Amino acid sequence: MSNESIHAKNLNLNFFRTNILERYFNKEFTIKLPDNKRITEVKWFAIYDLGTQNNFGDVYIPEEFDPPTPQRVGSFSKISHNVSSNSVEILDSKTIRIPNFTYDGLGRRVNFWAGVGAQPSKKGFKIPDELGYLDSIRAYNEETIILELPGDKDVFMIDWVSIYDLETSENLGSIIISDGLNVPPSLTK
């Protein structure tokens, strides 16, 4: 069977067109729903050959399905160096949005820092700043920034995010990442 005969069958052919799929072998891909439809409006979708009426696979969406959405996890604790923020939002499994972030810039070797355990400690890892750098962070004054967890790290692997001084081993402010977050997967590698 040729690739041209394999189609993606969308919600309802009266409203949506089908698209011819490329050949895929053991690859991940993202399906974008048409016309701003939401996954909660879909009952099922399938990889379907219209010519031979073959269903190559389908997925049914349960009525009680709760789709992942960005989640708020609280504000940075105000421990020292004027660290503060509004409620932090986990946008997806790797992306953290910190609105109105403030830090006075006067620490010694201060980084965005994440790890596991009941509270921030030296046992963690650096999170690149909003520009992707791992250097000590600068002063911030009520700035909204977006951080991306590095490499294969995601929010399901951490318990906290801290503004951490590596020289003094001091947590300047932190947030706890809730268990059971239902956030979208990251689409970046």
Side-chain angles (χ1 to χ4, degrees):
M1 177 177 308
S2 74
N3 288 343
E4 291 77 32
S5 64
I6 298 175
H7 294 72
K9 185 172 182 180
N10 291 326
L11 305 174
N12 180 336
L13 290 177
N14 294 328
F15 297 104
F16 306 108
R17 293 185 309 248
T18 60
N19 300 310
I20 296 174
L21 293 177
E22 298 174 25
R23 182 182 184 126
Y24 292 95
F25 181 74
N26 203 23
K27 290 184 181 179
E28 291 183 13
F29 61 93
T30 302
I31 297 173
K32 184 176 180 183
L33 296 176
D35 298 331
N36 296 318
K37 292 293 178 187
R38 303 179 65 82
I39 192 70
T40 53
E41 299 174 60
V42 177
K43 301 251 187 248
W44 59 272
F45 60 91
I47 306 299
Y48 193 81
D49 183 330
L50 292 174
T52 64
Q53 302 292 301
N54 264 340
N55 180 2
F56 292 99
D58 48 45
V59 175
Y60 287 84
I61 311 298
E63 284 187 33
E64 67 278 1
F65 178 67
D66 184 18
T69 58
Q71 306 282 306
R72 294 192 187 277
V73 293
S75 303
F76 269 89
S77 59
K78 300 174 184 179
I79 297 174
S80 64
H81 288 275
N82 203 29
V83 169
S84 67
S85 74
N86 286 357
S87 188
V88 174
E89 190 173 19
I90 309 299
L91 298 177
D92 63 37
S93 63
K94 292 183 74 64
T95 311
I96 301 169
R97 182 177 176 269
I98 307 172
N100 294 320
F101 177 63
T102 297
Y103 160 63
D104 67 12
L106 300 177
R108 295 184 181 160
R109 273 185 43 221
V110 177
N111 289 88
F112 295 108
W113 191 252
V116 296
Q119 60 188 7
S121 70
K122 281 181 147 177
K123 295 181 180 180
F125 60 90
K126 289 181 182 179
I127 301 173
D129 67 15
E130 73 279 9
L131 299 175
Y133 296 115
L134 292 171
D135 300 330
S136 291
I137 62 173
R138 62 181 175 82
Y140 294 84
N141 186 22
E142 296 185 358
E143 296 178 45
T144 296
I145 59 172
I146 295 179
L147 305 178
E148 185 173 314
L149 295 174
D152 63 351
K153 306 285 191 213
D154 65 34
V155 295
F156 306 112
M157 300 174 166
I158 62 174
D159 294 324
W160 45 262
V161 173
S162 172
I163 309 308
Y164 198 81
D165 191 320
L166 296 169
E167 190 169 313
T168 63
S169 298
E170 182 184 1
N171 172 26
L172 308 181
S174 60
I175 57 165
I176 301 299
I177 304 297
S178 311
D179 286 336
L181 288 176
N182 185 17
V183 295
S186 173
L187 298 181
T188 60
K189 294 284 180 183

